[in-house]
Amino acid sequence: MISFLISIFVLIVGYFLISKFCEGIFGVNPNRATPAIAQQDGVDFVPLPVWKIFLIQFLNIAGLGPIFGAVAGAMWGPVAFLWIVLGTLLAGGVHDYFSGMLSIRHKGESITEICGYYLGDNVKHFMRLFSVVLLIMVGTVFIMGPAKILVDIADGFGGTMFWVAIIFIYYVLSTILPIDKLIGKIYPVFGVALLFMAFGILAMMFVNKIQVPEVNFNTLRNFHNQPDSFPIFPFVFVTIACGAISGFHATQSPLMARCMTNEKQGRPVFFGAMVTEGIVALIWAAIGMSFYGGPSDLNAVMTAQKGNAAFVVNEISHSLLGSLGGILALLGVVAAPITSGDTAFRSARIIIADIFKQRQDLLKNRFLISIPLFAIAILLMQLDFGIVWRYFAWTNQTLATIVLWTITIYLYKNKKKYIIALVPASFMTAVITSYLLIAPEGFSLSPAIGCLAGVAVAVLGLIWFYLSARKQKSSNSSYV
């Protein structure tokens, strides 16, 4: 339990120190008009109070990742604590803060367009397609997951497809309507449910005196039941994504960049929401690896359930919080993915609108873009959930890596401390390359070959960066 509590403490202290450092590097200007003020349209560019922006950002990014991903990541043991803490502070927080602030400075534009400014048109075109595909996948996987949980809560009432239809109708409305009409009103309620779930579990861990494994030399090993096939590197760094670093976050930050009224709000909104999500991931990783007696016991349960983390979440919630508490907790688990799925489709609409320069204050334009997105999602729902989720995980971290390289180039060109982004960009390059080569859904190569290749590609990335950055240094900066 001591290691777990220290991890939470480090996250909280790290927020105040590292987020302030990032703010200083970026150079916020509280007197500069934000997109919410300068481009107000009553649909996407809408000024909102900072507490509401924080809750929306937190719920946008806190999908199933910091819950299901953290439980799955706990199969590797206490090493998950280290990745959640270090990943959140040194990678995820940096990624989320700078991607959000760059959107503010670039008139609320999507991350696809921002990548194009700093990495060139070819990357911009690739990112447009890549991001829209990712967002549709997010929206799709965040339909079936909560629908199945709602069937359990309702004791089978309606069946899965009934709840899928209900969620789908909500997604359509949240994608089309102005952000303050639906999302802005219900997110505070969802936020309470999600926070109750996390901190309710935390409180009951103390009440029941649950023993959480400590981080030490003996426990920093691979507890996975197939350690040779699933080494810590790179699998932990892809499995635990939203609780450490996630490219999906960069697609969500522009939504809030269009609602903020002061650049100083970026620190609590972007970095603060990431740290809050990290704390939620820590809680679920801790209870995941301790509820059944230890990481090895969790592996046995997950294997028996064919990797279904929803079973573990359901059992933990009901066991620790009772029937009523369990239902409220599970509603929090439902709220998390739904409030990521809705804004995934909304973000996809905005990216496509930015590409084709379509005004979004016109309802017909919003419908014309949204209908094909939902049609594709319906087709994807016919695929196996596990397959879609695995490809989403790698795609998600690849997007985060590209965004980190974008931030690095931006900082270098503007003579700012670029090392803060260069280090996580290089590390994540090694992670996504190794995972693609080793994973069963990738090339299934041996871990030794995959890891060596990942490091080699990361080194090539560093060489490319210095050659590219020096070439661009003499050009006019895209900073605005």
Side-chain angles (χ1 to χ4, degrees):
M1 183 69 83
I2 294 176
S3 299
F4 168 60
L5 295 177
I6 290 175
S7 297
I8 293 179
F9 176 78
V10 171
L11 273 183
I12 295 172
V13 173
Y15 162 73
F16 289 103
L17 297 178
I18 299 177
S19 66
K20 187 67 175 178
F21 184 63
C22 289
E23 186 180 62
I25 291 174
F26 185 80
V28 298
N29 181 356
N31 297 316
R32 185 187 183 105
T34 62
I37 303 300
Q39 299 158 241
Q40 201 169 155
D41 67 356
V43 178
D44 298 312
F45 294 88
V46 179
L48 293 175
V50 66
W51 68 268
K52 187 171 286 189
I53 296 172
F54 169 82
L55 272 178
I56 295 175
Q57 175 72 4
F58 170 58
L59 289 168
N60 283 351
I61 66 177
L64 290 174
I67 303 168
F68 287 17
V71 169
M75 294 171 69
W76 280 268
V79 69
F81 292 154
L82 295 181
W83 170 233
I84 292 170
V85 173
L86 296 177
T88 295
L89 295 176
L90 302 180
V94 172
H95 170 277
D96 289 15
Y97 178 78
F98 283 103
S99 62
M101 294 307 295
L102 281 173
S103 181
I104 289 178
R105 288 289 174 90
H106 283 283
K107 302 180 180 179
E109 286 192 288
S110 304
I111 193 61
T112 55
E113 310 308 296
I114 294 169
C115 288
Y117 291 136
Y118 299 100
L119 298 180
D121 286 341
N122 289 334
V123 174
K124 177 174 68 177
H125 298 320
F126 169 77
M127 284 291 285
R128 284 171 169 175
L129 177 62
F130 197 77
S131 297
V132 171
V133 168
L134 171 66
L135 290 167
I136 293 175
M137 289 171 69
V138 170
T140 303
V141 299
F142 288 169
I143 291 174
M144 293 304 297
K148 291 177 180 178
I149 295 174
L150 285 169
V151 170
D152 290 337
I153 293 176
D155 197 24
F157 173 77
T160 302
M161 295 314 298
F162 169 79
W163 292 106
V164 164
I166 296 296
I167 294 171
F168 218 90
I169 292 170
Y170 166 74
Y171 278 2
V172 172
L173 293 175
S174 62
T175 302
I176 300 297
L177 293 176
I179 197 165
D180 59 331
K181 301 304 181 186
L182 183 58
I183 291 176
K185 293 187 185 306
I186 67 172
Y187 268 51
V189 178
F190 282 167
V192 170
L194 182 57
L195 291 174
F196 172 87
M197 170 202 68
F199 289 102
I201 295 292
L202 177 62
M204 295 310 294
M205 287 171 65
F206 284 101
V207 171
N208 290 278
K209 298 180 180 180
I210 292 176
Q211 299 299 310
V212 179
E214 302 292 349
V215 176
N216 54 50
F217 289 113
N218 293 324
T219 60
L220 286 180
R221 59 183 178 85
N222 193 340
F223 282 85
H224 199 281
N225 60 349
Q226 300 181 58
D228 294 334
S229 300
F230 296 90
I232 290 173
F233 183 92
F235 283 88
V236 170
F237 307 98
V238 173
T239 302
I240 304 178
C242 291
I245 179 171
S246 167
F248 174 67
H249 297 187
T251 68
Q252 300 305 289
S253 294
L255 296 179
M256 295 301 94
R258 298 180 177 209
C259 298
M260 293 163 57
T261 56
N262 192 307
E263 287 190 355
K264 291 188 75 67
Q265 295 173 347
R267 185 181 169 210
V269 169
F270 299 129
F271 211 115
M274 180 68 247
V275 169
T276 304
E277 186 185 38
I279 293 173
V280 172
L282 275 176
I283 292 171
W284 278 102
I287 192 61
M289 69 179 71
S290 58
F291 180 77
Y292 296 103
S296 298
D297 302 286
L298 172 65
N299 272 273
V301 173
M302 289 288 281
T303 300
Q305 296 299 321
K306 298 181 179 180
N308 183 14
F311 173 85
V312 175
V313 172
N314 181 44
E315 190 165 25
I316 289 173
S317 298
H318 279 88
S319 297
L320 295 184
L321 300 175
S323 298
L324 178 59
I327 291 174
L328 291 175
L330 285 173
L331 282 174
V333 178
V334 171
I338 287 179
T339 52
S340 291
D342 59 2
T343 49
F345 285 115
R346 190 179 186 93
S347 296
R349 169 179 66 79
I350 289 173
I351 288 173
I352 294 173
D354 284 348
I355 293 172
F356 295 103
K357 309 299 180 186
Q358 286 230 341
R359 290 175 53 186
Q360 292 301 281
D361 55 343
L362 300 177
L363 183 60
K364 69 173 184 177
N365 287 351
R366 302 202 293 277
F367 265 114
L368 286 173
I369 294 174
S370 301
I371 290 173
L373 296 176
F374 287 114
I376 295 172
I378 291 173
L379 293 175
L380 284 176
M381 283 172 57
Q382 311 308 311
L383 298 177
D384 178 73
F385 176 86
I387 295 174
V388 178
W389 179 263
R390 286 199 301 270
Y391 281 104
F392 156 70
W394 180 82
T395 305
N396 183 44
Q397 297 303 65
T398 300
L399 178 61
T401 304
I402 296 172
V403 172
L404 282 170
W405 281 115
T406 300
I407 296 167
T408 304
I409 291 289
Y410 154 76
L411 293 173
Y412 184 91
K413 290 182 67 174
N414 288 279
K415 300 179 180 179
K416 298 175 183 290
K417 296 180 175 67
Y418 63 87
I419 296 296
I420 196 170
L422 178 62
V423 172
S426 301
F427 177 77
M428 291 305 299
T429 298
V431 167
I432 62 170
T433 304
S434 300
Y435 186 88
L436 179 63
L437 296 175
I438 299 172
E441 59 269 21
F443 291 95
S444 299
L445 299 180
S446 72
I449 294 175
C451 290
L452 284 174
V455 172
V457 172
V459 171
L460 290 175
L462 285 170
I463 295 172
W464 162 83
F465 162 70
Y466 281 109
L467 292 177
S468 177
R470 288 176 181 176
K471 182 179 178 181
Q472 294 185 38
K473 190 174 182 180
S474 59
S475 66
N476 291 329
S477 171
S478 297
Y479 178 76
V480 293

